[in-house]
Each structure stands twice: as structure tokens, then as C-alpha cells.
Amino acid sequence: MDDERHWFEKFSVCMERNIRGVQYGIYSVAIVGLAVALRSVRPLKKFTSPREIPTSFLEKHVTLSGKVVCVETSVGSSPLRLLVDHHPVVAWQLRQSSTKCLPVHISSVDILNNGSSWLQHVVVGTNIRFTLLKVNPESVSCIVGANTKCGNVGVDLVSLGFASVSALDFQLEKDPEYMKYYKRLLAAENQAEKGGLGMWADGNGGWAARQWRRLWDRLSFASLWSKIKHRAVERQMEKVVKV
């Protein structure tokens, strides 16, 4: 009887140790998983430079938020940029002490002087949402959303005739989200032109601008179609070589 009791006690101690080991293992895995998740999401990170943005954020088109501090006007070949005080997912006082701002480029729009003024009066000082598309040397190109008429700053500028649509960014031509945004820009520009708004107003040389824009659109389309055909020929040649 004593032997059975002794064996049972040893078995109980052994099981208790095993259960604790399993618990420690589960806790360890949970902690490691949490650390990996936090590193991936970076809830405490305040971005102040395009180089700080992880590649995974760009690939997933993560939407960030922040407050527009000012508009940095175009200098030379550099496009107009919004200087944004990025808000981390989890904000805390030490992170908010930084005075540096993230330079955000509104993708695929060429902004005129009246567009810059509109941004100064309507967007500066407000919170925006910006969906990451790609990193440039001095800025990050984004689809910028705000509490404006269209809810999209780029589309608002174009619809008012305060900006024109830039040439298609071929680095993003296979990106569904970018192409959807680009089509919205083209539709807004078409409506602004028909309505004679902003740069399309007759009093501002709108007729000449419209004629030039139509010519430019045709040339751009011809160039795009030529590029598509060239790529098709290259793919066909690759198939022939493989055979």
C-alpha cells in the first residue's frame, strides 16, 4: 500500500511538472507571437521619413492617419507635398514630442497655384487618411482622404479644375487600387472640363487648354498602346524561344 501511495505521489509530481512546462511553453509562444505582431504592425512607430516605412506596408497599401501641418510648394522638379504629423496607432506622449513631419505626395495629380491655396485653406490643420502606394526619394506617394466634398483630396482638386491628372505611373499600372483611383481622377477631370471649371474656364484660356489636353491625351494613349503591343511581342518571342 505504501508502495502504491509513493508511486502515485511521484506520478502526480511528474504530471504537475509537465503541465507547468506546457504552460510555460504556451506563454513563451504567445509572447513571441505578440512581439512579431507588434513589429509587423508597429503601433507605436511615428513615421517622419519615407525610408522608415516598411516594404510590407506599401505592398498591403496600409492606410495611416495624421494631421496636415503645412503645404510645401513645388521646388524645381519636386512636386507639391503635404507635411503630415503622422499619428501612430497607439499614441503616447514621448512619441508625440517629435516635430518632424512625413512628406506626403498626392499621387498622380499636377497641382496648380489655386490648388495650393485650396489646400492651405481647406486641408491644412485637419486630420487626413493616406493610403501608401510607393516611396519616392523625398516623399511617399499616397491616395489622400479627408472630410471634403469627394472624400478624396486628389479627386477634389481635379474636379474643381485646380489640378490636372498626371501621366499614368507605370510602376503601379498592375495595382488594382491605384488603377481604380486613377480612373476616378480621369472621370473628375472630364467633368471639370465639360463644366469649364478652374483651369478649364474660358476666361482662363480654357479653350486652348482643352485642345492641348485632348492632343496630349491622344499622344499618351498612342504611347500606352505602343508600349502594350511591344510587351505583347516580347512575351510572344519569349514563348517561341522556350519552345
Side-chain angles (χ1 to χ4, degrees):
M1 192 71 178
D2 291 338
D3 292 339
E4 291 180 358
R5 183 182 300 173
H6 181 65
W7 177 86
F8 181 76
E9 289 176 353
K10 289 176 63 177
F11 177 76
S12 299
V13 171
C14 183
M15 288 298 295
E16 185 177 353
R17 289 176 179 175
N18 288 338
I19 292 172
R20 288 181 180 176
V22 171
Q23 289 176 337
Y24 292 150
I26 293 174
Y27 294 152
S28 299
V29 171
I31 291 172
V32 171
L34 178 60
V36 172
L38 289 175
R39 181 175 177 81
S40 176
V41 177
R42 304 216 179 169
L44 300 176
K45 179 64 177 177
K46 180 173 182 175
F47 299 124
T48 58
S49 169
R51 294 188 297 272
E52 297 175 349
I53 298 175
T55 304
S56 61
F57 278 39
L58 297 166
E59 293 173 347
K60 297 176 182 178
H61 296 320
V62 172
T63 298
L64 305 176
S65 63
K67 182 178 181 180
V68 180
V69 176
C70 68
V71 175
E72 190 175 64
T73 55
S74 304
V75 179
S77 59
S78 300
L80 181 148
R81 303 180 298 184
L82 302 177
L83 297 185
V84 179
D85 179 20
H86 168 232
H87 296 163
V89 176
V90 179
W92 54 303
Q93 191 61 38
L94 292 177
R95 290 293 181 182
Q96 295 301 318
S97 63
S98 176
T99 58
K100 293 184 179 180
C101 292
L102 180 68
V104 172
H105 166 239
I106 304 173
S107 180
S108 297
V109 293
D110 294 324
I111 303 172
L112 306 176
N113 289 334
N114 49 5
S116 178
S117 299
W118 182 85
L119 289 170
Q120 293 279 3
H121 288 89
V122 176
V123 178
V124 170
T126 65
N127 292 324
I128 63 168
R129 306 168 302 281
F130 50 104
T131 302
L132 305 173
L133 293 177
K134 73 171 190 177
V135 168
N136 307 308
E138 298 180 354
S139 65
V140 54
S141 289
C142 302
I143 300 173
V144 180
N147 294 325
T148 53
K149 181 181 178 181
C150 298
N152 185 301
V153 175
V155 175
D156 274 304
L157 286 165
V158 173
S159 66
L160 293 169
F162 293 166
S164 60
V165 182
S166 307
L168 183 72
D169 190 333
F170 287 109
Q171 293 182 18
L172 300 169
E173 63 178 325
K174 295 182 179 179
D175 189 308
E177 187 159 1
Y178 170 75
M179 292 305 299
K180 181 180 179 180
Y181 165 67
Y182 195 79
K183 289 176 181 178
R184 283 192 68 189
L185 291 177
L186 292 176
E189 185 176 65
N190 185 49
Q191 290 297 320
E193 182 181 358
K194 288 180 178 179
L197 302 176
M199 64 181 292
W200 308 108
D202 290 336
N204 295 326
W207 182 85
R210 283 196 294 271
Q211 297 306 314
W212 169 251
R213 187 63 186 176
R214 288 193 182 100
L215 177 61
W216 176 255
D217 286 342
R218 290 174 184 174
L219 292 174
S220 298
F221 180 80
S223 176
L224 177 59
W225 181 244
S226 176
K227 186 173 181 179
I228 293 173
K229 290 195 296 183
H230 181 68
R231 288 186 177 180
V233 171
E234 286 182 342
R235 290 171 182 169
Q236 190 64 31
M237 290 298 295
E238 289 177 358
K239 291 180 180 179
V240 172
V241 171
K242 289 180 179 179
V243 173

